[in-house]
Amino acid sequence: MSDSSPNDRAADAARGFGTRAVHAGQQPDPATGAVMTPIYQTSTYAQEAPGDHKGHEYSRVSNPTRTALEGNLADLEGAEHGIAFSSGVAGIDATVKSLRPGDHIVATDDLYGGTYRLLREVFDPLNIETSFVDMSDPDAVTAAFTDATTLLWVETPTNPLMRLVDIEALSERAHDHDMTVAVDNTFATPYLQQPLSLGADLVLHSATKYLGGHSDLILGAVCTDSDEWAEKLRFQVKSTGASPGPMDCFLTLRGTKTLHLRMEQHCSNARRLAQMLNAHETVGHVRYPGLPSHPGHALAQKQMSGYGGMISFELADDDMDKALTILDEVDVFTLAESLGGVESLIEHPASMTHASIPAEERQKIGLTDSLIRLSVGVESFDDLRDDLDHALAQV
Ligand SMILES: *Cc1c(COP(=O)(O)O)cnc(C)c1O
């Protein structure tokens, strides 16, 4: 049995990922022995005398189910602290709100559409401005640094173009300028990529995706070794109410127990589908880091332990109508936004997840009209293959 509060994590760190996924942060409920961490559906906690309590006062600030989840996520990222949020975007918001007006951010140009919207439409007007750069070129990143840059925001693999960004190289450059380095690790998960061990300061998760894994919750988290950042982020949760509810914390905790099993299947299905698409005459460029032809393949081998479940591809003729036909013809794949669940999803970034990025910007970064993004689930491979094969034959 594991008893892994963040404080005795050292003893736990030697254990394998699967053991930590199942046990870290949790212990049988002290009141009842319940093996699963209960859903503490309460807003407040009885105190013996003013200020004399058992560690929790009010659930906006902390809640036992959330505390267990935070211990689990911190452990999986190899971090000292985990802070859970009501959504991934709330975690990004809290991070950026911890900056000051006048601070400048350098972020990946090809990133989650909601992150782009938040930085552009919420923080730009508050005088925290962001430069978006293609981070597959480290020199382009350094060139974007100004004296005011305090945060480097990295997403890798990028969304939806599946570019690889060298976390270690960029962390080094950013630290030379005293910046904080944050990595959105949603696509890779801690099972495939450990940004803190590569030099990053903060790891952001949309646990809505692979960590939860079943498309049944919205939750975010930031993991860090920095006491100062942990304090700032907890202050934000407390002050702005970005707190996740106990039910969502419970579901995420249930999801992480099988993260390692699911990721193996996501990776294996995606790799085989990418090979099949790559050989298909109707298909143009296939973007999957596991393909040797991918420009980031060598980097993926270095900084990841698997290539993940996300694929994007263009059609041989870049025609939006043909892309929409494919979305219409699939049956096992579900047409939907989001990713990382056990079920396979298909979507069209230009009109769905990345519609908030202006058309001109989309063209500039190579997000073309026929680009299709797959979140490959854990179904039987043959059914996924046949489904795509059938849909591609219709165009
Ligand atoms: C979904 C997602 C987010 C935002 O997370 P929410 O939980 O939806 O708020 C951030 N980054 C990436 C890469 C995502 O896929």
Side-chain angles (χ1 to χ4, degrees):
M1 183 193 74
S2 167
D3 172 12
S4 161
S5 71
N7 297 336
D8 53 39
R9 227 172 12 84
D12 227 30
R15 294 186 181 159
F17 191 95
T19 310
R20 292 184 289 121
V22 173
H23 294 289
Q26 301 149 84
Q27 54 187 46
D29 181 45
T32 62
V35 169
M36 287 301 118
T37 303
I39 302 162
Y40 284 93
Q41 193 74 49
T42 185
S43 61
T44 191
Y45 305 82
Q47 305 193 8
E48 294 289 330
D52 178 7
H53 54 76
K54 297 186 163 71
H56 303 279
E57 293 167 273
Y58 187 60
S59 284
R60 173 162 25 82
V61 182
S62 72
N63 170 285
T65 316
R66 200 200 314 172
T67 302
L69 172 65
E70 291 178 334
N72 184 261
L73 297 179
D75 189 296
L76 295 183
E77 282 292 355
E80 225 24 79
H81 310 280
I83 300 98
F85 294 89
S86 52
S87 69
V89 155
I92 304 169
D93 177 65
T95 304
V96 178
K97 271 192 198 139
S98 303
L99 307 183
R100 286 293 157 254
D103 284 0
H104 173 247
I105 302 168
V106 173
T108 317
D109 64 351
D110 166 33
L111 85 177
Y112 179 66
T115 308
Y116 181 87
R117 180 175 53 219
L118 178 65
L119 294 173
R120 259 282 142 84
E121 294 182 34
V122 177
F123 286 107
D124 265 14
L126 297 174
N127 198 25
I128 298 177
E129 293 188 5
T130 303
S131 303
F132 298 92
V133 301
D134 175 359
M135 291 197 176
S136 47
D137 173 10
D139 290 336
V141 178
T142 321
F145 291 168
T146 72
D147 289 344
T149 312
T150 52
L151 177 67
L152 183 70
W153 189 270
V154 175
E155 212 178 287
T156 181
T158 65
N159 177 6
L161 295 174
M162 304 302 297
R163 293 200 190 113
L164 266 282
V165 176
D166 190 331
I167 298 171
E168 195 167 22
L170 288 188
S171 296
E172 228 167 79
R173 291 180 186 218
H175 287 154
D176 284 345
H177 297 263
D178 290 333
M179 294 171 199
T180 297
V181 177
V183 175
D184 183 333
N185 204 26
T186 301
F187 269 34
T189 83
Y191 185 62
L192 302 179
Q193 179 169 278
Q194 303 255 311
L196 297 183
S197 74
L198 297 166
D201 304 296
L202 305 174
V203 179
L204 179 282
H205 275 287
S206 170
T208 309
K209 315 296 168 50
Y210 288 105
L211 299 182
H214 296 75
S215 306
D216 53 6
L217 61 94
I218 299 277
L219 191 135
V222 177
C223 297
T224 182
D225 278 337
S226 159
D227 296 345
E228 194 188 330
W229 265 104
E231 198 178 312
K232 283 184 193 174
L233 293 169
R234 288 196 187 286
F235 176 78
Q236 288 286 344
V237 172
K238 174 167 79 177
S239 306
T240 69
S243 340
M247 180 74 190
D248 290 331
C249 292
F250 172 86
L251 287 171
T252 307
L253 205 44
R254 167 144 129 170
T256 56
K257 289 183 202 306
T258 55
L259 179 65
H260 52 302
L261 306 176
R262 290 183 284 108
M263 290 316 291
E264 287 292 341
Q265 186 72 10
H266 285 297
C267 288
S268 146
N269 277 349
R271 188 182 179 133
R272 294 171 72 190
L273 277 185
Q275 285 163 349
M276 169 268 197
L277 289 167
N278 205 28
H280 202 290
E281 57 183 15
T282 311
V283 174
H285 189 180
V286 180
R287 300 167 178 275
Y288 185 67
L291 292 174
S293 58
H294 188 285
H297 183 61
L299 177 56
Q301 285 182 314
K302 195 179 83 171
Q303 81 181 8
M304 302 174 76
S305 57
Y307 305 110
M310 300 300 295
I311 303 175
S312 60
F313 65 96
E314 285 152 27
L315 297 180
D317 17 322
D318 183 35
D319 181 313
M320 169 144 9
D321 287 339
K322 287 186 177 172
L324 297 179
T325 300
I326 290 172
L327 303 190
D328 194 37
E329 287 291 336
V330 288
D331 180 34
V332 181
F333 279 84
T334 301
L335 174 62
E337 297 192 1
S338 198
L339 60 109
V342 288
E343 67 291 316
S344 290
L345 302 180
I346 188 166
E347 69 113 359
H348 183 241
S351 65
M352 295 170 68
T353 48
H354 291 68
S356 63
I357 301 179
E360 197 179 294
E361 287 285 314
R362 287 203 305 265
Q363 288 303 328
K364 213 163 69 189
I365 63 174
L367 202 167
T368 55
D369 283 349
S370 76
L371 190 79
I372 291 173
R373 190 185 77 178
L374 304 177
S375 171
V376 181
V378 302
E379 299 95 333
S380 305
F381 172 75
D382 290 358
D383 295 323
L384 298 178
R385 179 200 56 207
D386 293 351
D387 198 36
L388 282 184
D389 232 359
H390 162 81
L392 286 166
Q394 312 307 309
V395 297

